[in-house]
Amino acid sequence: MLEEKKNIAKQINKLTSKITKVEVIPIKMPLKQVFKGSNYFMSHRVTVITKITTEDGIVGEIYNGDELDDLQAIVNMIKNEMTPLIIGENIFDIKHIWKKLYPITFNILADRKISLNALSCVDSAIHDAIGKTLGIPLVQLWGGSKTKLPVMLIGGYYSEKSDIDEVKIKSDIETYKEMGVAACKFKVGGRSPEVDIERVRIAREAAGEDFVLAVDANQGWDRKDALTFAKGIRDFDIRWFEEPCRWSYAKDAMKDIRLMSGIPVAAGQSEDSPAECIEMMKDGAIDVCNFDASWSGGPTAWKQAASTAEALGFEMAHHEEPQISAHLLGSTMSGTFLEVFHPDRDPMFYEIIENRNEFENGYYKIPEGPGFGIQLDKRVIEAYRLDK
C-alpha cells in the first residue's frame, strides 16, 4: 500500500498540461428595472467569460465579475497583456502563473481594479481547467467536504414610490422566502438611519424568527449615522452589518460599530488583497470577511484570506458570484452563506448556467461535476455577447 501511494505521488508530481489558447467573451444583459442601493444603481448585468484551452483539449470556462464601465478594458487586458504571458504554461503551476501575472497590477498610474479583475478571470478559468483535467470538483480539490450551503439573497432595494414602502418590503421578503432561500441581505445606507431602521423593522416582522436577516450599507453612512442605525436595530436579530461606513475611514470606524453596538460587522468586498482582509481581522474591524475572488485576484487570492480566517477564528463569506463562491465556501471550515440575487437583479445566474441546482429548504447543492461543475448555455452567450 505504501509503495502504491508513492507511485501515485510521483505521477501527480509529473502532471503537465500546457495552455494553448485563451478566449474572452464580454456579456451584457439588460435588467427589467433599475436597482438602487446606498450610492449606486444597476441597470445591466455584465460579465466576462474566460476560456482556457489546454494541449489535452480540456477547456476551463467560467464567468467573473459585474463591472459595467470597465468591461472592455478587462477584456483587452486579458487578450493583449495576459494571454502572451501564459501561453505554453502548465496549468498545474497555478501559483507560478499567478505570480507571473500579478506584476501587471503594480502600475500606480493605471486602474488597479481592471488588472485585478482580469487576473481573477484568468485564475478562475485555470482552476476550472485543473479540476476538469483531474476529473474532480474544486471543492474536493481544495480540501472541502461540504456538499451544500445555506443561501442568502441580496435584496431589499429602495422603492421609487417612497422611502418606506411597507407593501414592497413585505412583498419582497415573501418572494425571497418562496424562492427557498434561508436569508436576506437587506440594503440600507441610502436614507437616514431612522428611515432605514423602520425599513428593517418591517422586513424582520415580515421575515419571521426563522429567516436570517443581515443588512448592507455599502459604505453609505458616516460613523455617527452608522452607529445610530446599528443601535436602532439591535433587537431585530441581525446576522451582520456589512460595510457600515465611508470608505475613507471604514476600517477604524467598523471596529467602533461592532464593539459599541454588539452587532457583528462584515466587510472585505472592497479590499484589493488578502493582506488588507487579514489586517481587518487582526485589528478587530470585522467578524466576517466578505472577500471577492472575482474582484481581487481569483480563487488563488481568496484562499489566502480564507486560510487566515480559519486560523484566527473568523467567519468567511464571499461577495456575490455564486458560480465562483460555492466551491470556495464549501472548501473552508469557516464558510457562511452562498450569496445570490433575485432573477430580476441577476438573470445571468439563472439563465446562463444550464445545469444550475435549485434552492431547496434554504440550501444550494454545490455542483458535483469537475472544476466549477457548471455548463454555460451557448444560446444565452450568443444572445448577449458584445463582440459579435
Side-chain angles (χ1 to χ4, degrees):
M1 178 64 71
L2 180 60
E3 191 63 32
E4 182 180 347
K5 289 182 178 179
K6 288 182 178 179
N7 290 332
I8 293 174
K10 289 180 181 178
Q11 292 175 5
I12 291 176
N13 288 335
K14 293 180 180 179
L15 281 175
T16 300
S17 187
K18 294 181 179 179
I19 297 171
T20 60
K21 186 179 181 181
V22 180
E23 299 174 81
V24 194
I25 304 172
I27 302 289
K28 183 177 181 180
M29 303 176 73
L31 302 181
K32 294 180 178 180
Q33 67 181 76
V34 175
F35 289 84
K36 294 183 178 181
S38 58
N39 292 298
Y40 71 96
F41 68 90
M42 299 294 293
S43 60
H44 290 76
R45 173 66 166 100
V46 302
T47 200
V48 174
I49 297 174
T50 308
K51 301 172 69 173
I52 300 286
T53 303
T54 72
E55 60 185 343
D56 300 316
I58 297 294
V59 179
E61 180 181 32
I62 195 65
Y63 67 93
N64 292 80
D66 194 358
E67 296 296 318
L68 184 62
D69 296 330
D70 301 323
L71 190 64
Q72 192 57 50
I74 295 169
V75 169
N76 292 341
M77 179 162 285
I78 295 173
K79 285 184 176 180
N80 302 329
E81 298 188 48
M82 294 187 171
T83 295
L85 293 175
I86 66 174
I87 293 294
E89 292 287 352
N90 179 13
I91 59 172
F92 292 98
D93 294 334
I94 183 68
K95 290 186 177 180
H96 163 73
I97 295 173
W98 193 92
K99 188 175 180 180
K100 192 174 184 180
L101 296 178
Y102 193 60
I104 294 176
T105 70
F106 294 169
N107 185 351
I108 63 173
L109 300 181
D111 187 343
R112 186 169 289 119
K113 181 173 65 174
I114 293 172
S115 55
L116 283 170
N117 272 254
L119 175 57
S120 300
C121 292
V122 174
D123 187 68
S124 299
I126 294 176
H127 277 288
D128 187 57
I130 292 172
K132 288 177 177 175
T133 301
L134 297 176
I136 59 175
L138 288 174
V139 64
Q140 181 181 349
L141 180 64
W142 293 334
S145 59
K146 295 178 183 177
T147 59
K148 61 182 182 179
L149 296 165
V151 182
M152 176 179 283
L153 189 143
I154 304 169
Y157 288 91
Y158 289 102
S159 171
E160 295 289 343
K161 294 181 179 180
S162 65
D163 285 346
I164 303 175
D165 190 337
E166 184 171 354
V167 173
K168 181 181 184 301
I169 293 171
K170 290 183 176 180
S171 175
D172 284 347
I173 295 296
E174 186 60 35
T175 297
Y176 306 156
K177 294 176 71 174
E178 289 175 355
M179 287 177 61
V181 304
C184 170
K185 187 160 72 176
F186 194 84
K187 291 298 181 182
V188 298
R191 301 292 187 271
S192 71
E194 292 75 20
V195 166
D196 275 336
I197 289 170
E198 178 61 13
R199 292 177 66 244
V200 175
R201 185 198 65 77
I202 295 169
R204 168 49 71 202
E205 184 180 272
E209 295 181 358
D210 296 332
F211 191 76
V212 177
L213 198 62
V215 293
D216 184 4
N218 292 113
Q219 303 180 342
W221 280 313
D222 61 23
R223 187 192 306 256
K224 178 177 177 295
D225 283 348
L227 185 57
T228 297
F229 171 78
K231 289 181 177 180
I233 62 170
R234 280 190 292 199
D235 295 333
F236 300 154
D237 190 21
I238 300 302
R239 181 63 169 81
W240 69 62
F241 185 4
E242 188 167 324
E243 292 199 325
C245 298
R246 307 290 187 205
W247 69 268
S248 55
Y249 52 83
K251 293 182 178 67
D252 185 60
M254 287 190 297
K255 183 176 182 178
D256 291 343
I257 300 301
R258 62 181 292 268
L259 293 178
M260 296 174 72
S261 71
I263 297 175
V265 168
Q269 71 181 65
S270 299
E271 312 312 313
D272 291 336
S273 72
E276 292 175 322
C277 291
I278 294 168
E279 179 184 350
M280 290 195 297
M281 296 180 206
K282 293 174 66 176
D283 289 349
I286 59 173
D287 299 274
V288 184
C289 181
N290 195 34
F291 202 33
D292 190 323
S294 289
W295 283 1
S296 307
T300 296
W302 192 92
K303 291 194 294 164
Q304 293 175 22
S307 294
T308 302
E310 287 182 344
L312 297 181
F314 287 85
E315 291 189 292
M316 198 69 193
H318 190 292
H319 171 246
E320 306 172 8
E321 299 288 90
Q323 78 284 357
I324 299 290
S325 67
H327 289 266
L328 288 170
L329 290 168
S331 70
T332 179
M333 292 183 286
S334 59
T336 55
F337 295 85
L338 181 89
E339 293 188 4
V340 303
F341 287 107
H342 186 277
D344 289 347
R345 171 62 179 83
D346 182 16
M348 192 84 64
F349 179 62
Y350 299 90
E351 294 184 25
I352 205 169
I353 300 176
E354 290 183 334
N355 59 336
R356 179 181 60 82
N357 293 329
E358 300 291 336
F359 308 138
E360 293 185 9
N361 299 318
Y363 285 84
Y364 173 81
K365 186 178 180 180
I366 299 172
E368 297 178 334
F372 284 109
I374 63 174
Q375 300 169 9
L376 301 185
D377 192 323
K378 295 180 180 179
R379 294 172 298 178
V380 175
I381 294 173
E382 290 304 314
Y384 295 104
R385 64 187 300 165
L386 294 176
D387 58 350
K388 295 179 182 179

